[in-house]
Amino acid sequence: MTGALPPKQGLYDPANEHDACGVGFVAHIKGEKSHAIVQHGLTILERLHHRGAVGADPRAGDGAGLLLQMPDAFFRKSVSFELPAEGEYAVGMVFLPQADKSRAAAEKTIEDFVAAEGQTLLGWRDVPVDNGGLGYSVLPTEPVIRQVFIQCGTNCADQNAFERKLFVIRKQIENNVRDAKLEGCDAFYFTSLSSRTVVYKGMLLSDQVGEYYKDLSDESMTSALALVHQRFSTNTFPTWDLAHPFRMIAHNGEINTVRGNVNWMAARKSGMASDILGDDLDKIWPLIPEGQSDTACFDNALELLVMGGYSMAHAMMMLVPEAWAGNPQMDNDRRAFYEYHAALMEPWDGPAAVAFTDGRQIGATLDRNGLRPARYLITDDDLVVMGSEMGVLKIPEEKIVKKWRLQPGKMFLIDMEQGRIIDDAEIKADLSASKPYQEWLNKTQIKLDDLPKAVGVMAPDAATLLDRQQAFGYTQEDIKMLLSPMVINGMEATGSMGADNPPAVLSAKPKHLSNYFKQLFAQVTNPPIDPIREEIVMSLVSLVGPRPNLLDMGEGEGHMRLECKQPVSLTLTLSVSAT
């Protein structure tokens, strides 16, 4: 039994997994917990059924689930051991291998790392499930599901420190179990490990979540929020662990830049340090394991930023920035915020609608292109409902005080501790003014366009030019059909014929070097984006220089950087310099 994707074979490659799904949440603005919120979450899931995929087995889907706040009263009556005060203990929801020996080894690993990090393991609980409705293709992959209860240790000063320690514990356990290569270890997975939230999910249809997890029907299962997701993975194999929500987010869309994002995160390891995480930072690598979905990778990156000291809103603005480079109407402080952080974190580009929560705040943001729908409403009794579409909950019109949609690059945030909605303008104004970002840019930024112009090189004679063009693989078609219109008209040539030429790597003919480098775009409904025609949401800015420490929460003046408006200028500059 395995919960993993099939290995690479034939035309299938697990690296090409993508998905497009239904996402939503319901929350009480004042943070009032109730079982009704849980039921509302399950209702939203059921009404997002059409956004999920069903295979030849009609009872097999791509996955569904919901994230809730810690239901303290429920757990107190459901375990046989004593629990400390709320906030001083955590619950880990764990998928375990079916094989007894592997399961015992995985549980021993959990217990060992909990003790090694100075926390106390209180006990285990078997999660009651009803698998009678699972499809015949799902049953063989069903994991054993248990909850582990952990008490906060004396080495954690507060709940935030406890959350960071749980993050470090979980990463070590996951990496250790994976490296041990236990039988069926692909099924091992922490859906959540937190003192604030718990996630119930699996390879289920949207209407199966409430039936499968018996906990969710208990009246003492209460929460002030329910973040839900119904997965529709495109050309992929569903697995239990790839169902959403993840530990902080649920996501509708695709991260087109995920391979580059993952590589950059891995490359930062040697240059990263954190005053908040301290020596624990070295224990979490690899931060983003191979074989995860794009959303799981994004969730791992968000976890690191939040555990490293950023607020949820700050981290989301770094990961999914709005269009700032080509927007002359943007406030100068906000533009400086984005420009400064562009050197810290490359954008995780969508199309993406991302709902996020840490158990205290819940919100959503839309990528700068706005290619995924997300609508919300607010009622007169402080209920907020957000979904991929309206109609996920039946709300009488007379109770609705506002209906609106997420706009491209905008954020919607509910702070349940403050008991209010914080709008996009306030969030970004506060964060932009929190540090002197423009002052830091003035000290560290060198713009290529501001440097003295170099003396132009002499044009070669016709024979020399032809030799060089042939040596570098230029053809008559390149000169006449592609380059000439660009030089004469300042725009890309258009034509009606399809490109049926083979990829450069498979062609028997010599190709220009640039033909070997093509950007990958989404597989579903999303055309490639043209940075010239769509410059309002696109930026070709390239930064040259050492990457700053991502988790440096200090003065931000450490490294100089050269900023180039587009990579063509950069390439020509470096070529001239090399010559």
Side-chain angles (χ1 to χ4, degrees):
M1 189 279 293
T2 177
L5 301 170
K8 183 176 180 180
Q9 53 190 297
L11 296 178
Y12 172 75
D13 187 338
N16 295 325
E17 300 279 344
H18 297 280
D19 54 58
C21 328
V23 64
F25 68 73
V26 57
H28 194 283
I29 297 173
K30 306 298 184 185
E32 294 180 9
K33 292 185 176 184
S34 68
H35 184 62
I37 293 285
V38 179
Q39 291 300 314
H40 286 328
L42 293 173
T43 300
I44 293 174
L45 261 183
E46 292 171 6
R47 292 178 179 171
L48 289 172
H49 179 82
H50 61 286
R51 286 186 171 267
V54 179
D57 177 358
R59 301 302 293 165
D62 281 342
L66 80 167
L67 181 154
L68 305 170
Q69 286 179 322
M70 179 71 77
D72 179 63
F74 170 79
F75 285 132
R76 288 188 183 280
K77 76 170 193 177
S78 301
V79 298
S80 58
F81 43 86
E82 186 176 348
L83 293 175
E86 185 175 2
E88 295 180 9
Y89 73 94
V91 177
M93 189 84 161
V94 195
F95 292 164
L96 293 161
Q98 290 181 355
D100 292 340
K101 185 176 180 181
S102 296
R103 184 167 65 254
E107 291 175 354
K108 179 67 163 53
T109 301
I110 292 172
E111 294 171 359
D112 289 346
F113 277 105
V114 168
E117 292 296 333
Q119 314 305 300
T120 302
L121 193 141
L122 298 171
W124 290 86
R125 174 178 180 258
D126 295 323
V127 178
V129 298
D130 180 1
N131 62 8
L134 298 186
Y136 62 85
S137 63
V138 178
L139 279 169
T141 67
E142 181 188 16
V144 174
I145 305 176
R146 303 191 76 193
Q147 289 168 337
V148 59
F149 291 75
I150 302 170
Q151 182 174 350
C152 179
T154 56
N155 58 350
C156 297
D158 53 29
Q159 193 174 7
N160 290 334
F162 187 32
E163 285 291 303
R164 289 192 292 271
K165 184 59 71 174
L166 292 169
F167 168 64
V168 172
I169 289 171
R170 197 196 78 234
K171 295 302 293 185
Q172 291 180 93
I173 294 169
E174 290 171 340
N175 294 334
N176 186 277
V177 171
R178 184 172 54 253
D179 293 343
K181 301 187 185 304
L182 303 171
E183 178 188 353
C185 68
D186 288 332
F188 179 84
Y189 181 76
F190 270 101
T191 69
S192 59
L193 178 60
S194 173
S195 62
R196 294 186 173 123
T197 59
V198 61
V199 176
Y200 287 84
K201 71 175 186 178
M203 204 164 80
L204 308 165
L205 296 172
S206 61
D207 59 354
Q208 291 177 330
V209 177
E211 298 173 358
Y212 182 77
Y213 287 110
K214 296 180 180 181
D215 289 357
L216 300 177
S217 61
D218 193 295
E219 289 292 330
S220 62
M221 176 66 71
T222 62
S223 176
L225 65 85
L227 173 59
V228 304
H229 189 275
Q230 163 67 70
R231 188 168 186 244
F232 190 135
S233 56
T234 310
N235 301 326
T236 63
F237 289 87
T239 63
W240 283 78
D241 60 301
L242 293 185
H244 302 211
F246 287 94
R247 300 171 194 103
M248 285 188 167
I249 69 163
H251 166 229
N252 173 24
E254 302 170 50
I255 305 298
N256 290 335
T257 56
V258 65
R259 176 46 53 194
N261 295 134
V262 171
N263 288 343
W264 272 119
M265 290 300 291
R268 288 187 173 96
K269 178 181 178 181
S270 60
M272 197 182 297
S274 170
D275 292 337
I276 295 174
L277 288 170
D279 293 338
D280 281 349
L281 182 62
D282 295 330
K283 302 174 183 177
I284 67 172
W285 303 95
L287 176 71
I288 304 177
E290 284 293 330
Q292 294 191 133
S293 67
D294 53 353
T295 312
C297 295
F298 183 98
D299 189 65
N300 290 158
L302 177 60
E303 276 188 313
L304 174 65
L305 293 179
V306 173
M307 299 306 168
Y310 293 99
S311 68
M312 289 285 291
H314 193 156
M316 290 301 300
M317 286 174 68
M318 292 171 64
L319 292 164
V320 189
E322 62 183 310
W324 58 271
N327 184 0
Q329 297 179 335
M330 180 175 285
D331 174 78
N332 289 333
D333 286 344
R334 190 187 299 188
R335 180 181 293 104
F337 172 92
Y338 283 119
E339 192 167 4
Y340 171 79
H341 286 91
L344 282 175
M345 170 62 69
E346 58 287 335
W348 291 63
D349 273 333
V354 185
F356 55 88
T357 184
D358 62 358
R360 299 170 298 175
Q361 296 180 330
I362 187 167
T365 190
L366 193 62
D367 75 289
R368 54 190 166 180
N369 294 293
L371 297 177
R372 285 291 181 268
R375 304 188 69 85
Y376 64 89
L377 61 81
I378 305 168
T379 70
D380 58 7
D381 55 355
D382 293 322
L383 204 65
V384 177
V385 182
M386 194 284 294
S388 301
E389 58 213 61
M390 283 288 94
V392 290
L393 280 184
K394 188 175 182 180
I395 305 290
E397 284 293 325
E398 62 271 16
K399 292 183 68 63
I400 298 173
V401 297
K402 182 178 181 179
K403 285 183 181 179
W404 194 226
R405 62 182 174 86
L406 273 181
Q407 297 171 284
K410 303 303 182 184
M411 186 181 295
F412 176 68
L413 184 68
I414 304 162
D415 189 315
M416 289 174 291
E417 292 185 337
Q418 296 184 38
R420 69 187 186 100
I421 295 172
I422 308 175
D423 66 23
D424 180 83
E426 181 182 350
I427 296 167
K428 293 173 179 176
D430 288 348
L431 286 171
S432 299
S434 64
K435 299 284 178 67
Y437 292 112
Q438 187 60 59
E439 181 182 327
W440 291 350
L441 286 172
N442 293 340
K443 293 179 179 180
T444 61
Q445 183 183 54
I446 301 171
K447 293 188 176 181
L448 184 64
D449 289 353
D450 295 340
L451 296 178
K453 303 299 181 185
V455 177
V457 296
M458 297 295 293
D461 60 80
T464 302
L465 177 62
L466 180 60
D467 284 344
R468 292 182 181 178
Q469 288 172 339
Q470 291 175 334
F472 284 91
Y474 285 95
T475 64
Q476 290 285 354
E477 181 182 17
D478 293 332
I479 302 298
K480 293 180 178 179
M481 306 303 295
L482 299 178
L483 294 178
S484 294
M486 292 171 70
V487 173
I488 295 170
N489 301 317
M491 62 179 63
E492 184 182 4
T494 58
S496 61
M497 296 297 291
D500 59 355
N501 49 304
V505 71
L506 299 179
S507 176
K509 298 181 179 297
K511 296 286 183 178
H512 185 262
L513 181 64
S514 64
N515 287 343
Y516 289 87
F517 299 92
K518 302 289 185 180
Q519 183 166 353
L520 297 174
F521 287 92
Q523 296 179 349
V524 193
T525 68
N526 308 307
I529 295 176
D530 183 338
I532 297 176
R533 295 185 180 92
E534 302 184 62
E535 63 179 348
I536 191 171
V537 294
M538 286 292 292
S539 171
L540 296 178
V541 169
S542 297
L543 300 173
V544 182
R547 291 246 164 178
N549 175 15
L550 179 62
L551 299 180
D552 179 15
M553 310 295 289
E555 294 303 311
E557 302 178 8
H559 299 287
M560 300 297 290
R561 65 184 189 178
L562 175 65
E563 185 172 311
C564 311
K565 280 190 175 180
Q566 56 174 301
V568 173
S569 300
L570 172 62
T571 303
L572 294 176
T573 303
L574 295 179
S575 298
V576 170
S577 300
T579 303

